[in-house]
Coordinates of all heavy atoms in Angstrom, one line a residue:
M1 N 0.4 -0.3 -13.1 CA 1.7 -0.4 -13.8 C 2.8 -0.2 -12.8 O 3.8 -0.9 -12.8 CB 1.8 0.5 -15.0 CG 0.8 0.1 -16.1 SD 1.2 -1.3 -17.1 CE 2.5 -0.7 -18.1
A2 N 2.7 0.9 -12.1 CA 3.8 1.3 -11.2 C 4.0 0.2 -10.1 O 5.2 -0.1 -9.8 CB 3.5 2.6 -10.5
T3 N 3.0 -0.3 -9.6 CA 3.1 -1.4 -8.6 C 3.8 -2.6 -9.2 O 4.7 -3.2 -8.6 CB 1.7 -1.8 -8.0 OG1 1.1 -0.6 -7.4 CG2 1.8 -2.9 -7.0
L4 N 3.4 -3.0 -10.4 CA 4.0 -4.1 -11.0 C 5.5 -3.9 -11.5 O 6.3 -4.8 -11.5 CB 3.2 -4.6 -12.2 CG 1.8 -5.2 -11.9 CD1 1.1 -5.5 -13.1 CD2 2.0 -6.4 -11.0
A5 N 5.8 -2.6 -11.8 CA 7.1 -2.3 -12.2 C 8.2 -2.4 -11.1 O 9.3 -2.7 -11.4 CB 7.2 -0.8 -12.8
A6 N 7.7 -2.4 -9.9 CA 8.6 -2.5 -8.8 C 8.9 -4.0 -8.4 O 9.7 -4.2 -7.5 CB 8.0 -1.8 -7.6
A7 N 8.3 -4.9 -9.1 CA 8.6 -6.3 -8.8 C 8.6 -7.2 -10.0 O 8.1 -6.8 -11.1 CB 7.5 -6.8 -7.8
E8 N 9.1 -8.4 -9.9 CA 9.1 -9.4 -11.0 C 7.6 -9.8 -11.2 O 7.2 -9.9 -12.4 CB 9.9 -10.6 -10.7 CG 10.0 -11.6 -11.8 CD 11.0 -12.7 -11.5 OE1 12.0 -12.5 -10.8 OE2 10.7 -13.8 -11.9
K9 N 6.9 -10.1 -10.1 CA 5.5 -10.4 -10.2 C 4.8 -10.1 -8.9 O 5.5 -9.9 -7.9 CB 5.3 -11.9 -10.6 CG 5.7 -12.9 -9.5 CD 5.4 -14.3 -9.9 CE 5.9 -15.3 -8.8 NZ 5.7 -16.6 -9.2
A10 N 3.5 -9.9 -8.9 CA 2.8 -9.6 -7.7 C 1.5 -10.3 -7.7 O 0.8 -10.5 -8.7 CB 2.6 -8.1 -7.6
E11 N 1.0 -10.7 -6.5 CA -0.3 -11.3 -6.4 C -1.4 -10.3 -6.6 O -1.3 -9.2 -6.2 CB -0.4 -12.0 -5.0 CG -1.5 -12.9 -4.9 CD -1.5 -13.7 -3.6 OE1 -0.4 -13.9 -3.0 OE2 -2.6 -14.0 -3.1
F12 N -2.4 -10.8 -7.2 CA -3.6 -9.9 -7.5 C -4.1 -9.2 -6.3 O -4.3 -7.9 -6.3 CB -4.7 -10.7 -8.1 CG -5.9 -10.0 -8.5 CD1 -6.1 -9.5 -9.8 CD2 -6.9 -9.7 -7.6 CE1 -7.2 -8.8 -10.2 CE2 -8.0 -8.9 -8.0 CZ -8.2 -8.5 -9.3
A13 N -4.2 -9.9 -5.2 CA -4.7 -9.2 -3.9 C -3.8 -8.2 -3.4 O -4.2 -7.1 -2.9 CB -5.0 -10.3 -2.9
F14 N -2.5 -8.4 -3.6 CA -1.5 -7.4 -3.1 C -1.7 -6.1 -4.0 O -1.7 -5.0 -3.5 CB -0.1 -7.9 -3.3 CG 1.0 -6.8 -3.0 CD1 1.3 -6.5 -1.7 CD2 1.6 -6.2 -4.1 CE1 2.2 -5.5 -1.5 CE2 2.5 -5.2 -3.9 CZ 2.9 -4.9 -2.6
V15 N -1.8 -6.3 -5.3 CA -1.9 -5.1 -6.2 C -3.2 -4.4 -5.9 O -3.3 -3.2 -5.7 CB -1.9 -5.5 -7.7 CG1 -2.2 -4.3 -8.6 CG2 -0.5 -6.1 -8.0
R16 N -4.3 -5.1 -5.7 CA -5.6 -4.6 -5.4 C -5.6 -3.7 -4.1 O -6.0 -2.6 -4.1 CB -6.7 -5.7 -5.2 CG -8.0 -5.2 -4.8 CD -8.9 -6.3 -4.2 NE -8.2 -6.8 -3.0 CZ -8.2 -8.0 -2.5 NH1 -8.8 -8.9 -3.2 NH2 -7.6 -8.3 -1.4
D17 N -4.9 -4.3 -3.1 CA -4.9 -3.6 -1.8 C -3.9 -2.4 -1.9 O -4.2 -1.3 -1.3 CB -4.4 -4.5 -0.7 CG -5.4 -5.6 -0.4 OD1 -6.6 -5.5 -0.8 OD2 -5.0 -6.6 0.3
T18 N -2.9 -2.5 -2.7 CA -1.9 -1.4 -2.8 C -2.5 -0.2 -3.5 O -2.3 0.9 -3.1 CB -0.6 -1.9 -3.5 OG1 0.0 -2.9 -2.8 CG2 0.4 -0.8 -3.7
V19 N -3.3 -0.4 -4.6 CA -3.9 0.7 -5.3 C -5.3 1.0 -4.8 O -5.9 2.0 -5.3 CB -3.8 0.4 -6.8 CG1 -2.4 0.3 -7.3 CG2 -4.7 -0.8 -7.2
E20 N -5.7 0.3 -3.8 CA -7.0 0.6 -3.2 C -8.2 0.6 -4.1 O -8.9 1.6 -4.2 CB -6.9 1.8 -2.3 CG -5.8 1.7 -1.2 CD -5.7 3.0 -0.4 OE1 -6.2 4.1 -0.8 OE2 -5.0 2.9 0.6
V21 N -8.4 -0.5 -4.9 CA -9.5 -0.6 -5.7 C -10.2 -1.9 -5.5 O -9.7 -2.8 -4.8 CB -9.2 -0.5 -7.2 CG1 -8.6 0.9 -7.6 CG2 -8.2 -1.6 -7.6
R22 N -11.4 -2.1 -6.0 CA -12.2 -3.3 -5.9 C -11.6 -4.3 -6.9 O -11.1 -3.9 -7.9 CB -13.6 -3.1 -6.1 CG -14.3 -2.2 -5.0 CD -15.7 -2.0 -5.3 NE -16.3 -1.1 -4.4 CZ -17.1 -1.5 -3.4 NH1 -17.4 -2.7 -3.2 NH2 -17.6 -0.6 -2.5
D23 N -11.9 -5.6 -6.6 CA -11.5 -6.6 -7.5 C -12.0 -6.4 -9.0 O -11.2 -6.5 -9.9 CB -12.1 -8.0 -7.1 CG -11.4 -8.6 -5.9 OD1 -10.5 -8.0 -5.4 OD2 -11.8 -9.7 -5.5
S24 N -13.2 -6.0 -9.1 CA -13.8 -5.8 -10.5 C -13.1 -4.7 -11.2 O -12.8 -4.8 -12.4 CB -15.3 -5.5 -10.4 OG -15.5 -4.3 -9.6
V25 N -12.7 -3.6 -10.5 CA -12.0 -2.5 -11.2 C -10.6 -3.0 -11.7 O -10.2 -2.7 -12.8 CB -11.8 -1.3 -10.2 CG1 -10.9 -0.2 -10.8 CG2 -13.2 -0.7 -9.9
L26 N -9.9 -3.7 -10.8 CA -8.5 -4.1 -11.1 C -8.6 -5.2 -12.3 O -7.8 -5.2 -13.2 CB -7.8 -4.7 -9.9 CG -6.4 -5.2 -10.2 CD1 -5.5 -4.1 -10.8 CD2 -5.8 -5.8 -8.9
S27 N -9.6 -6.0 -12.2 CA -9.8 -7.1 -13.2 C -10.0 -6.4 -14.6 O -9.4 -6.9 -15.6 CB -11.0 -8.0 -12.9 OG -10.7 -8.8 -11.8
R28 N -10.8 -5.4 -14.7 CA -11.0 -4.7 -16.0 C -9.7 -4.1 -16.5 O -9.4 -4.2 -17.7 CB -12.1 -3.7 -15.9 CG -13.5 -4.3 -15.9 CD -14.6 -3.2 -16.0 NE -14.6 -2.2 -14.9 CZ -15.3 -2.3 -13.8 NH1 -16.1 -3.3 -13.6 NH2 -15.2 -1.4 -12.9
Q29 N -9.0 -3.4 -15.6 CA -7.7 -2.8 -16.0 C -6.7 -3.9 -16.4 O -6.0 -3.7 -17.4 CB -7.1 -2.0 -14.8 CG -7.9 -0.8 -14.5 CD -8.0 0.2 -15.7 OE1 -7.0 0.5 -16.3 NE2 -9.2 0.6 -16.0
V30 N -6.6 -5.0 -15.7 CA -5.7 -6.0 -16.0 C -6.0 -6.6 -17.4 O -5.2 -6.9 -18.2 CB -5.6 -7.1 -14.9 CG1 -4.9 -8.4 -15.4 CG2 -5.0 -6.6 -13.7
A31 N -7.3 -6.8 -17.6 CA -7.8 -7.4 -18.9 C -7.3 -6.5 -20.1 O -6.9 -6.9 -21.1 CB -9.3 -7.6 -18.9
T32 N -7.5 -5.2 -19.9 CA -7.1 -4.2 -20.9 C -5.6 -4.2 -21.1 O -5.1 -4.3 -22.3 CB -7.6 -2.8 -20.5 OG1 -9.0 -2.8 -20.4 CG2 -7.1 -1.7 -21.5
L33 N -4.8 -4.3 -20.1 CA -3.4 -4.3 -20.2 C -2.9 -5.6 -20.8 O -1.9 -5.6 -21.5 CB -2.7 -4.0 -18.8 CG -2.9 -2.6 -18.3 CD1 -2.5 -2.5 -16.8 CD2 -2.2 -1.6 -19.1
E34 N -3.5 -6.7 -20.4 CA -3.2 -8.0 -21.0 C -3.4 -8.0 -22.5 O -2.6 -8.5 -23.3 CB -4.0 -9.1 -20.3 CG -3.6 -10.5 -20.7 CD -4.3 -11.6 -19.9 OE1 -5.5 -11.3 -19.5 OE2 -3.7 -12.6 -19.7
K35 N -4.6 -7.5 -22.9 CA -4.9 -7.5 -24.3 C -3.9 -6.6 -25.1 O -3.6 -6.9 -26.2 CB -6.3 -6.9 -24.5 CG -6.8 -6.9 -25.9 CD -8.3 -6.4 -26.0 CE -8.7 -6.5 -27.4 NZ -10.1 -6.0 -27.5
A36 N -3.4 -5.6 -24.5 CA -2.4 -4.7 -25.1 C -1.0 -5.3 -25.1 O -0.1 -4.9 -25.8 CB -2.3 -3.4 -24.4
G37 N -0.8 -6.4 -24.4 CA 0.5 -7.1 -24.3 C 1.4 -6.6 -23.2 O 2.6 -6.8 -23.3
Y38 N 0.9 -5.8 -22.3 CA 1.7 -5.2 -21.3 C 1.8 -6.0 -20.0 O 2.7 -5.8 -19.2 CB 1.2 -3.8 -21.0 CG 1.2 -2.8 -22.1 CD1 0.4 -1.7 -22.2 CD2 2.1 -3.0 -23.2 CE1 0.5 -0.8 -23.2 CE2 2.1 -2.2 -24.3 CZ 1.3 -1.1 -24.3 OH 1.3 -0.2 -25.3
V39 N 0.8 -6.9 -19.7 CA 0.7 -7.6 -18.5 C 0.5 -9.1 -18.8 O -0.3 -9.4 -19.7 CB -0.4 -7.1 -17.6 CG1 -0.7 -8.0 -16.4 CG2 -0.1 -5.7 -17.1
T40 N 1.1 -10.0 -18.0 CA 0.7 -11.4 -18.1 C 0.0 -11.8 -16.8 O 0.3 -11.2 -15.7 CB 2.0 -12.3 -18.3 OG1 2.9 -12.1 -17.2 CG2 2.7 -12.0 -19.6
V41 N -0.9 -12.7 -16.9 CA -1.7 -13.2 -15.8 C -1.4 -14.7 -15.7 O -1.5 -15.4 -16.6 CB -3.2 -13.0 -16.0 CG1 -4.0 -13.5 -14.9 CG2 -3.5 -11.5 -16.2
T42 N -1.0 -15.1 -14.5 CA -0.7 -16.5 -14.2 C -1.6 -16.9 -13.0 O -1.6 -16.3 -12.0 CB 0.8 -16.7 -13.8 OG1 1.6 -16.2 -14.8 CG2 1.1 -18.2 -13.6
K43 N -2.3 -18.0 -13.2 CA -3.1 -18.6 -12.2 C -2.6 -19.9 -11.6 O -1.9 -20.6 -12.4 CB -4.6 -18.8 -12.7 CG -5.2 -17.5 -13.1 CD -6.7 -17.7 -13.5 CE -7.3 -16.4 -13.9 NZ -7.8 -15.7 -12.8
G44 N -2.7 -20.1 -10.3 CA -2.2 -21.3 -9.7 C -2.8 -21.4 -8.3 O -3.8 -20.8 -8.0
Y45 N -2.1 -22.2 -7.5 CA -2.6 -22.5 -6.1 C -1.4 -22.3 -5.2 O -0.3 -22.6 -5.5 CB -3.1 -23.9 -6.0 CG -4.5 -24.1 -6.7 CD1 -4.5 -24.4 -8.0 CD2 -5.6 -23.9 -6.0 CE1 -5.8 -24.5 -8.7 CE2 -6.9 -24.0 -6.6 CZ -6.9 -24.3 -7.9 OH -8.1 -24.5 -8.6
V46 N -1.8 -21.8 -4.0 CA -0.9 -21.9 -2.8 C -1.6 -22.7 -1.8 O -2.6 -22.4 -1.3 CB -0.6 -20.4 -2.3 CG1 0.2 -20.5 -1.0 CG2 0.1 -19.6 -3.3
G47 N -1.1 -24.0 -1.7 CA -1.9 -24.9 -0.9 C -3.1 -25.3 -1.7 O -3.0 -25.6 -2.9
K48 N -4.3 -25.1 -1.1 CA -5.5 -25.4 -1.8 C -6.2 -24.1 -2.2 O -7.3 -24.1 -2.8 CB -6.5 -26.2 -0.9 CG -6.0 -27.6 -0.6 CD -6.9 -28.4 0.2 CE -6.4 -29.8 0.4 NZ -7.4 -30.7 1.1
R49 N -5.6 -23.0 -2.0 CA -6.2 -21.7 -2.3 C -5.8 -21.2 -3.7 O -4.6 -21.1 -4.0 CB -5.9 -20.6 -1.3 CG -6.4 -21.0 0.1 CD -6.2 -19.8 1.0 NE -6.8 -20.1 2.3 CZ -8.1 -19.8 2.7 NH1 -8.8 -19.1 1.8 NH2 -8.5 -20.0 3.9
P50 N -6.7 -20.8 -4.5 CA -6.4 -20.3 -5.9 C -5.7 -18.9 -5.7 O -6.1 -18.1 -4.9 CB -7.7 -20.2 -6.6 CG -8.8 -20.2 -5.5 CD -8.2 -20.9 -4.3
R51 N -4.8 -18.7 -6.6 CA -4.1 -17.4 -6.6 C -3.9 -16.9 -8.0 O -3.8 -17.7 -8.9 CB -2.7 -17.5 -5.9 CG -2.7 -17.8 -4.4 CD -3.2 -16.6 -3.6 NE -3.1 -16.8 -2.2 CZ -4.1 -17.1 -1.4 NH1 -5.3 -17.2 -1.9 NH2 -4.0 -17.3 -0.1
T52 N -3.8 -15.6 -8.2 CA -3.5 -15.0 -9.5 C -2.4 -14.1 -9.3 O -2.3 -13.2 -8.4 CB -4.8 -14.2 -10.0 OG1 -5.9 -15.1 -10.1 CG2 -4.5 -13.6 -11.3
W53 N -1.4 -14.2 -10.2 CA -0.2 -13.4 -10.1 C -0.2 -12.5 -11.4 O -0.5 -13.0 -12.5 CB 1.1 -14.2 -10.1 CG 1.2 -14.9 -8.7 CD1 1.8 -14.4 -7.6 CD2 0.8 -16.2 -8.4 NE1 1.7 -15.3 -6.6 CE2 1.1 -16.5 -7.1 CE3 0.2 -17.2 -9.2 CZ2 0.9 -17.7 -6.5 CZ3 -0.1 -18.4 -8.6 CH2 0.3 -18.6 -7.2
L54 N 0.3 -11.3 -11.3 CA 0.4 -10.4 -12.4 C 1.8 -10.0 -12.6 O 2.6 -9.9 -11.6 CB -0.4 -9.1 -12.1 CG -1.9 -9.3 -11.6 CD1 -2.5 -8.0 -11.2 CD2 -2.7 -10.0 -12.7
A55 N 2.2 -9.8 -13.8 CA 3.6 -9.4 -14.1 C 3.6 -8.5 -15.4 O 2.8 -8.7 -16.3 CB 4.5 -10.6 -14.3
L56 N 4.5 -7.5 -15.4 CA 4.7 -6.7 -16.6 C 5.5 -7.5 -17.6 O 6.4 -8.2 -17.3 CB 5.4 -5.4 -16.3 CG 4.7 -4.4 -15.5 CD1 5.5 -3.1 -15.4 CD2 3.3 -4.0 -16.2
T57 N 5.1 -7.4 -18.9 CA 5.9 -8.0 -20.0 C 7.1 -7.1 -20.2 O 7.1 -5.9 -19.7 CB 5.1 -8.2 -21.2 OG1 4.7 -6.9 -21.7 CG2 3.9 -9.0 -21.0
A58 N 8.0 -7.5 -21.1 CA 9.1 -6.6 -21.5 C 8.5 -5.3 -22.1 O 9.0 -4.2 -21.9 CB 10.0 -7.3 -22.4
D59 N 7.5 -5.5 -23.0 CA 6.9 -4.4 -23.6 C 6.2 -3.5 -22.6 O 6.3 -2.2 -22.7 CB 5.8 -4.8 -24.7 CG 6.4 -5.3 -26.0 OD1 7.7 -5.1 -26.2 OD2 5.7 -5.9 -26.8
G60 N 5.6 -4.1 -21.6 CA 4.9 -3.3 -20.6 C 5.9 -2.5 -19.8 O 5.7 -1.3 -19.5
R61 N 7.1 -3.1 -19.5 CA 8.1 -2.3 -18.7 C 8.6 -1.1 -19.6 O 8.8 -0.1 -19.1 CB 9.2 -3.2 -18.3 CG 8.8 -4.1 -17.2 CD 10.0 -4.9 -16.6 NE 9.5 -5.8 -15.6 CZ 9.3 -5.5 -14.4 NH1 9.4 -4.2 -14.0 NH2 8.8 -6.3 -13.5
A62 N 8.8 -1.4 -20.9 CA 9.4 -0.4 -21.8 C 8.4 0.8 -21.9 O 8.7 2.0 -21.8 CB 9.7 -0.9 -23.1
V63 N 7.1 0.5 -22.1 CA 6.1 1.5 -22.2 C 5.9 2.3 -21.0 O 5.8 3.5 -21.0 CB 4.7 0.9 -22.6 CG1 3.6 1.8 -22.5 CG2 4.8 0.4 -24.1
F64 N 6.0 1.6 -19.8 CA 5.9 2.3 -18.5 C 7.1 3.3 -18.3 O 6.9 4.4 -17.9 CB 5.7 1.4 -17.4 CG 5.6 2.0 -16.1 CD1 4.4 2.7 -15.8 CD2 6.6 2.0 -15.1 CE1 4.3 3.4 -14.5 CE2 6.5 2.6 -13.9 CZ 5.3 3.3 -13.6
A65 N 8.3 2.8 -18.7 CA 9.5 3.6 -18.5 C 9.4 4.8 -19.4 O 9.7 5.9 -19.0 CB 10.7 2.8 -18.9
D66 N 8.9 4.6 -20.7 CA 8.7 5.8 -21.6 C 7.7 6.8 -21.0 O 7.9 8.0 -21.1 CB 8.3 5.3 -23.0 CG 9.3 4.6 -23.7 OD1 10.5 4.7 -23.4 OD2 9.0 3.9 -24.7
H67 N 6.7 6.3 -20.5 CA 5.6 7.1 -19.9 C 6.2 8.0 -18.7 O 6.0 9.2 -18.6 CB 4.5 6.3 -19.4 CG 3.4 7.0 -18.7 ND1 2.5 7.9 -19.4 CD2 3.0 7.1 -17.4 CE1 1.7 8.4 -18.6 NE2 1.9 7.9 -17.4
C68 N 7.0 7.3 -17.9 CA 7.6 8.0 -16.7 C 8.6 9.1 -17.2 O 8.6 10.2 -16.7 CB 8.4 7.0 -15.8 SG 7.2 6.0 -14.9
R69 N 9.4 8.8 -18.3 CA 10.3 9.8 -18.8 C 9.5 11.0 -19.4 O 9.9 12.1 -19.2 CB 11.1 9.2 -19.9 CG 12.4 8.5 -19.4 CD 13.3 8.1 -20.5 NE 12.8 7.0 -21.4 CZ 12.8 5.7 -21.1 NH1 13.4 5.3 -20.0 NH2 12.4 4.9 -22.0
A70 N 8.4 10.7 -20.0 CA 7.5 11.8 -20.6 C 7.0 12.7 -19.5 O 7.0 13.9 -19.6 CB 6.4 11.2 -21.4
L71 N 6.5 12.0 -18.4 CA 6.0 12.8 -17.2 C 7.1 13.7 -16.6 O 6.8 14.8 -16.3 CB 5.4 11.9 -16.2 CG 4.1 11.2 -16.6 CD1 3.7 10.2 -15.5 CD2 3.0 12.2 -16.9
R72 N 8.3 13.1 -16.5 CA 9.4 13.9 -15.9 C 9.7 15.1 -16.8 O 10.0 16.2 -16.4 CB 10.7 13.0 -15.8 CG 10.6 12.2 -14.5 CD 12.0 11.5 -14.3 NE 11.8 10.2 -13.7 CZ 11.7 9.1 -14.4 NH1 11.9 9.0 -15.7 NH2 11.5 7.9 -13.7
A73 N 9.7 14.9 -18.1 CA 10.0 16.0 -19.1 C 8.9 17.1 -19.0 O 9.2 18.3 -19.0 CB 10.0 15.5 -20.5
I74 N 7.6 16.7 -18.8 CA 6.6 17.6 -18.7 C 6.7 18.4 -17.4 O 6.5 19.6 -17.3 CB 5.2 16.9 -18.7 CG1 4.9 16.4 -20.1 CG2 4.1 17.8 -18.2 CD1 3.7 15.4 -20.2
A75 N 7.2 17.7 -16.3 CA 7.3 18.4 -15.0 C 8.7 19.1 -14.9 O 8.9 19.8 -13.9 CB 7.3 17.3 -13.9
G76 N 9.5 19.1 -16.0 CA 10.7 19.8 -16.0 C 11.9 19.1 -15.4 O 12.9 19.7 -15.0
G77 N 11.7 17.8 -15.2 CA 12.8 17.0 -14.6 C 13.8 16.4 -15.5 O 14.6 15.7 -15.1
G78 N 13.7 16.7 -16.8 CA 14.7 16.2 -17.8 C 14.4 14.7 -18.1 O 13.4 14.2 -17.9
D79 N 15.5 14.1 -18.6 CA 15.4 12.7 -19.1 C 15.6 11.7 -17.9 O 15.1 10.6 -18.0 CB 16.5 12.4 -20.1 CG 16.2 13.0 -21.4 OD1 15.0 13.4 -21.7 OD2 17.1 13.2 -22.2
G80 N 16.3 12.0 -16.9 CA 16.7 11.1 -15.8 C 15.5 10.6 -15.1 O 15.3 9.7 -14.6

C-alpha cells in the first residue's frame, strides 16, 4: 500500500522488487486488496511484452491514510 500510495500507478515488477517479495506473494496480496476495493489491476503491453500495473483506488488511499494516522497516534505523533 505504501509503495502504491507514493504514485498514481506502479508496474507489478517495480512493486515486487521494492517490497522484496516473490511474484506469488505479491499476487495474493494484490488479489486480496483488489477484492476489498483498495487496488485496481490493469493489464496491457509495452511493445510485445505483457505488463501489469497496480494503483490504489480512492477508497484504498483513504484507508491507507487513516491507517497511517492511527499508527502516528499510537506512536505519539499526533494527527499530523
Side-chain angles (χ1 to χ4, degrees):
M1 294 284 287
T3 300
L4 294 176
E8 184 176 325
K9 66 180 179 179
E11 193 174 332
F12 183 94
F14 173 79
V15 176
R16 178 201 61 214
D17 294 345
T18 299
V19 298
E20 299 179 349
V21 296
R22 294 180 186 254
D23 286 359
S24 60
V25 172
L26 182 56
S27 290
R28 283 191 299 268
Q29 292 299 314
V30 167
T32 299
L33 293 168
E34 185 178 30
K35 186 176 179 179
Y38 299 157
V39 170
T40 59
V41 177
T42 306
K43 295 185 181 275
Y45 288 86
V46 174
K48 293 184 179 185
R49 296 190 177 264
R51 294 288 186 256
T52 301
W53 292 273
L54 309 173
L56 289 182
T57 63
D59 285 346
R61 287 190 182 279
V63 166
F64 182 70
D66 289 345
H67 178 70
C68 289
R69 276 190 290 279
L71 290 176
R72 280 190 214 95
I74 291 167
D79 290 338

